[in-house]
Amino acid sequence: MSKGIRQSQSTLHTWSGLLLGWLLFLVFLTGTIAFWREGLNRYMRPELARVEQPLRVLGGAQRFLVRKAPDARSWFIAMPDAQVPGAQLFWQPQPKRGERTGRRGGGRGRRDNQALIGADGLPATARDTRGGEFFYRFHFDLYYMPVIWARWLVGIAAVMMLVAILTGIVTHKKIFRDFFTLRRGKGQRSWLDGHNATAVLALPFHLMITYTGVVTLMALLMPWATVANYTDQTKLADTLFPHVEAAEQTGKPVPLVPLSALVRDAERRLGGPIGSLEVSQPGDAAARITLFRSPTTLLNTRAPSIVYDGTSGTPVWQSPAPGGAAATAGVMIGLHAGRFADTTLRWIYFLCGVAGTLMVASGLVLWTVKRREKLPDPAKPHLGFRIVERLNVAVIAGFPLGVAAMFWANRLLPVTMPGRAQWEVHVLFLVWAAAVTLALVRTPQRAWSSLFALTGAALLLLPAFNLVATRWNAWSSLAVGDLLPLGVDATVLAFGAGYLWLARRVANHVPHSRKSHSARPLTTERMMHEVAA
């Protein structure tokens, strides 16, 4: 391959990685955390015990809904398991005359139309929190902006990330040899080695997660095929998600069959555990019960379903096998989300996500490192350079501090506080805004060190607070064989120690005594030289 082609790919690699690099860092970081979203949902509700008997919880959910919403248009029940803090319930009231309703899921956004049933089968009182769902939604919906804009931004960023990965492979002709070369104390060379290592270490994962991320947004980014073949979007939805239309209410009250018995039968027919149930016209002669297989046991997220008559418990319909296109899309989404993964594979996903986050972060820092050397006066860089340098500090060091603050808000905000879940998220962005301000007013070395230290301290202190102030902490859960709180706390401690180590290396940096460097101010790349040493 000619040098000219490789140089052109190097330029494309650099700018495709930089222009939306800060957004890519946020997407990679929150997406990596989201691999543990089910566990975080329970970790951030420490009042709730682990579910040991899912069918007992389901029975309690049915009894609650019969009392609370016997005349509802539909119920929706998310089946509990050991990773989920109880059964989440939603119900949709009967529509008023002339009111139009959606096919599924109406009313799920209303706080007065939902409840949580705990491990004992009774309505649970627990703190309101977005939990791990926030990180999952943020990594493609962002926050404080219209979803359609956010998904366009994330989609474009994902395409640029794919370009950066492919051009990086072309650019680094010795990329696999360089993976085994990690030179310490060489400044820019050391950080370039680290960037290459994090890229090559999980290269198949980076390619897979980026490509499948683009595929999940394909209908938005490339709508031409669907527009050309489906003028009616309802027909497209029916093709991708086959279902049985709910019958109209007859007005004849008939008791609903026990849901627990149907779950056992559906698991046998569908070949795996049930993830959720939907009941239309409960308590009426026209009642129908739809059970969906759990996507956590399938690579294809297009989970099969089965419909029963709600009064007799007789199966009336089972979803057909998906077509090739629908199955391919479902598998791509399944690979991206990793819901099918067991604990070991989920750790591999998580660690590869950490490597991807470090790859993006080190690439952003290297941009400033390489370009300062080419400036006419490195001690007085131009405005554009200073903006990139400060944005690196604000995003790479500032956003993790906001995440740590969100975990603390989950523990400290009053349990009965109105809008509590939203305020957990608000705290993240308020602390991040403070970190951005600090990055703008302090020198890079002081800003990096301060933010790393604050993040490390916040993470290290959180498990200690959990031991004192929460019921289901690491020790109490370990006594009953529940490793989830201990695992989360241990992971938090590990990252806290890592951030404190970074803060210490940056703070202890002493400028080189060589004359050529004595008159130069401490810059980001000289600080990074010390960290890499």
Side-chain angles (χ1 to χ4, degrees):
M1 184 178 296
S2 68
K3 183 177 180 180
I5 294 177
R6 184 171 287 112
Q7 181 59 44
S8 67
Q9 296 301 296
S10 177
T11 302
L12 184 57
H13 174 78
T14 298
W15 288 101
S16 61
L18 175 71
L19 292 178
L20 288 176
W22 301 287
L23 176 59
L24 284 170
F25 177 83
L26 302 181
V27 169
F28 250 96
L29 178 61
T30 53
T32 298
I33 297 173
F35 287 133
W36 300 110
R37 67 169 177 160
E38 295 87 358
L40 288 176
N41 287 341
R42 185 155 70 88
Y43 179 81
M44 296 177 77
R45 282 182 165 177
E47 301 86 359
L48 301 176
R50 180 176 63 172
V51 173
E52 302 288 352
Q53 300 177 6
L55 293 182
R56 178 188 180 189
V57 179
L58 178 61
Q62 184 172 359
R63 291 190 296 272
F64 173 85
L65 287 169
V66 167
R67 294 193 308 269
K68 183 70 175 179
D71 300 321
R73 181 176 185 266
S74 64
W75 299 343
F76 181 86
I77 305 173
M79 276 294 292
D81 58 32
Q83 300 299 320
V84 180
Q88 191 72 48
L89 316 180
F90 306 89
W91 59 92
Q92 180 184 9
Q94 291 290 346
K96 298 177 182 179
R97 185 179 298 276
E99 180 182 3
R100 297 183 63 183
T101 59
R103 176 168 64 87
R104 288 179 51 194
R108 294 190 199 179
R110 295 177 53 182
R111 306 302 301 176
D112 57 345
N113 282 5
Q114 54 186 282
L116 180 69
I117 305 300
D120 56 1
L122 301 174
T125 301
R127 65 192 67 196
D128 191 18
T129 179
R130 294 286 301 278
E133 298 300 322
F134 165 76
F135 299 104
Y136 171 71
R137 301 298 303 188
F138 181 89
H139 102 280
F140 59 90
D141 279 352
L142 304 181
Y143 209 75
Y144 299 129
M145 66 185 304
V147 169
I148 188 68
W149 295 2
R151 293 192 179 183
W152 268 107
L153 275 175
V154 172
I156 294 171
V159 171
M160 296 181 72
M161 181 67 180
L162 188 60
V163 171
I165 293 174
L166 295 175
T167 54
I169 295 173
V170 175
T171 300
H172 300 291
K173 60 181 179 179
K174 301 177 181 178
I175 187 170
F176 291 103
R177 191 194 72 178
D178 288 346
F179 169 67
F180 298 99
T181 304
L182 189 58
R183 286 157 284 197
R184 300 187 55 178
K186 301 297 183 181
Q188 175 184 330
R189 183 68 255 180
S190 297
W191 280 91
L192 183 57
D193 288 345
H195 179 69
N196 291 339
T198 54
V200 180
L201 176 65
L203 181 58
F205 173 85
H206 297 330
L207 285 168
M208 180 276 293
I209 208 71
T210 306
Y211 177 74
T212 55
V214 174
V215 170
T216 62
L217 298 172
M218 63 182 177
L220 175 68
L221 300 176
M222 297 176 288
W224 310 287
T226 56
V227 170
N229 290 278
Y230 293 93
T231 56
D232 185 353
Q233 292 299 307
T234 302
K235 292 183 178 180
L236 173 62
D238 291 342
T239 302
L240 293 176
F241 308 102
H243 65 284
V244 174
E245 291 292 345
E248 294 296 326
Q249 189 178 36
T250 65
K252 295 174 57 178
V254 179
L256 196 69
V257 298
L259 297 177
S260 299
L262 296 188
V263 167
R264 295 189 185 95
D265 185 70
E267 288 179 343
R268 179 179 60 82
R269 293 176 183 272
L270 297 180
I274 298 302
S276 60
L277 305 86
E278 185 170 7
V279 183
S280 65
Q281 307 299 349
D284 189 84
R288 292 288 185 271
I289 304 170
T290 305
L291 295 92
F292 302 88
R293 182 171 167 179
S294 173
T296 60
T297 61
L298 295 167
L299 180 58
N300 186 351
T301 58
R302 315 285 189 188
S305 61
I306 186 170
V307 180
Y308 292 84
D309 184 286
T311 61
S312 65
T314 304
V316 297
W317 180 84
Q318 186 168 342
S319 60
T328 301
V331 168
M332 290 292 178
I333 296 172
L335 282 170
H336 187 82
R339 297 192 188 105
F340 68 94
D342 59 13
T343 301
T344 301
L345 185 55
R346 198 169 294 259
W347 268 109
I348 294 174
Y349 261 80
F350 178 75
L351 293 175
C352 289
V354 171
T357 307
L358 292 174
M359 175 184 67
V360 175
S362 59
L364 289 169
V365 171
L366 281 170
W367 189 93
T368 61
V369 171
K370 295 174 69 175
R371 273 148 190 78
R372 184 181 290 273
E373 297 176 351
K374 301 177 183 178
L375 295 174
D377 185 356
K380 296 180 180 180
H382 54 78
L383 177 61
F385 183 93
R386 294 201 302 272
I387 290 175
V388 173
E389 188 175 43
R390 300 301 174 123
L391 280 175
N392 282 347
V393 180
V395 175
I396 298 172
F399 188 77
L401 178 60
V403 172
M406 180 181 175
F407 282 107
W408 274 102
N410 172 260
R411 294 302 193 245
L412 298 179
L413 291 178
V415 174
T416 58
M417 177 182 179
R420 189 183 188 282
Q422 288 72 29
W423 270 104
E424 286 183 3
V425 180
H426 295 335
V427 167
L428 184 156
F429 286 98
L430 288 171
V431 172
W432 187 22
V436 172
T437 303
L438 186 145
L440 293 176
V441 301
R442 305 198 77 180
T443 61
Q445 185 212 15
R446 291 179 179 273
W448 284 109
S449 178
S450 299
L451 293 175
F452 283 155
L454 288 170
T455 302
L459 293 176
L460 283 177
L461 291 173
L462 184 63
F465 180 85
N466 289 334
L467 288 176
V468 176
T470 61
R471 176 185 176 191
W472 294 103
N473 53 52
W475 294 123
S476 61
S477 298
L478 186 60
V480 296
D482 182 7
L483 298 180
L484 188 143
L486 178 62
V488 176
D489 278 346
T491 304
V492 168
L493 284 172
F495 278 92
Y499 274 105
L500 283 185
W501 176 84
L502 283 173
R504 180 174 176 272
R505 293 301 299 264
V506 174
N508 290 342
H509 171 71
V510 177
H512 295 290
S513 59
R514 289 179 299 176
K515 188 173 182 179
S516 60
H517 289 274
S518 60
R520 295 173 61 183
L522 184 61
T523 57
T524 295
E525 68 270 17
R526 293 180 64 200
M527 177 272 293
M528 289 302 176
H529 176 95
E530 176 65 19
V531 175

